[in-house]
Structure formats: C-alpha cells, structure tokens
Amino acid sequence: MRVLFWSQSFWPSIGGVEVLATRLLPALRQRGHEIEVLADRFAPHLPDEACFERLPVHRLPFLAALAGKDLQEQVQIGQQVAAIKRRRGLGRCARLLREETGSTAGTAGTP
C-alpha cells in the first residue's frame, strides 16, 4: 500500500505525533508499504527533501503561505503536493542518500 503521511510537523521536531510517526512509519515500511512523509517546513535550515530511515520526507511552507495569505504561493504548494502524490519517492530517497554520502553505502535493498 502506498501511504502519504501528512503532518504539520515531523522529525527533527519532537512531540507526540512526531515521536509516534518516527516509530510507526519505519515499521510500516519494513512490512512492505511504500511510505512518504509530507510536513510543514517550519525551519529554514531544513531541506525541502530529505530521508528519515530510508523514508522520503518532503517539507513545504504550508503555514507560512497560509499566514501570509498569499494565494499564488498556496496554489504553487498545492501543485507541488499533487506532483509528490503522482511520483514514487523511494528511488529519490536512495539518490538523496548517495548525493549526501557520495557513495551507495546504506542503500542496499532500496528500489
């Protein structure tokens, strides 16, 4: 099953939902589910795309767009969400890991 876990915040933020998600989502992946995470980009130093335990994590500035009442930015974010939903992320996660480490170490078994 393909799952898009959409939450206001995700690791490295710490809270009840965040801690639960960091335990639940890798366990679901181990059981064969394809998981991607979509969360608010609450801190500017966090990348737009990252991996957490081989799970693709996408961060978009939802709350900033809503607070700024910028309709054009909200539409762009909606289009980005639609694009994320259309494509598979696990291969991208493997590529991100290779780019970060400069090798293929730790990507065995990733499609």
Side-chain angles (χ1 to χ4, degrees):
M1 177 184 341
R2 294 181 69 194
V3 176
L4 178 62
F5 181 82
W6 193 331
S7 179
Q8 182 174 333
S9 59
F10 186 71
W11 179 89
S13 182
I14 297 175
V17 170
E18 295 85 348
V19 171
L20 175 68
T22 60
R23 294 180 182 165
L24 174 66
L25 299 178
L28 289 173
R29 183 185 54 76
Q30 288 176 344
R31 287 167 179 78
H33 300 288
E34 185 177 333
I35 310 291
E36 292 199 46
V37 177
L38 185 58
D40 185 59
R41 187 166 185 225
F42 63 90
H45 69 277
L46 293 173
D48 291 341
E49 289 188 341
C51 291
F52 174 80
E53 294 190 21
R54 296 177 52 203
L55 297 171
V57 178
H58 310 275
R59 292 187 179 91
L60 299 171
F62 301 117
L63 297 179
L66 290 173
K69 298 180 182 176
D70 184 342
L71 183 59
Q72 183 176 357
E73 186 177 13
Q74 292 172 17
V75 169
Q76 288 174 344
I77 289 171
Q79 292 169 342
Q80 289 175 299
V81 170
I84 289 167
K85 289 169 65 175
R86 282 191 300 267
R87 64 183 187 229
R88 296 180 150 233
L90 296 180
R92 284 192 342 278
C93 195
R95 282 193 306 277
L96 283 170
L97 287 171
R98 282 193 296 271
E99 290 170 7
E100 290 173 5
T101 63
S103 72
T104 57
T107 60
T110 303

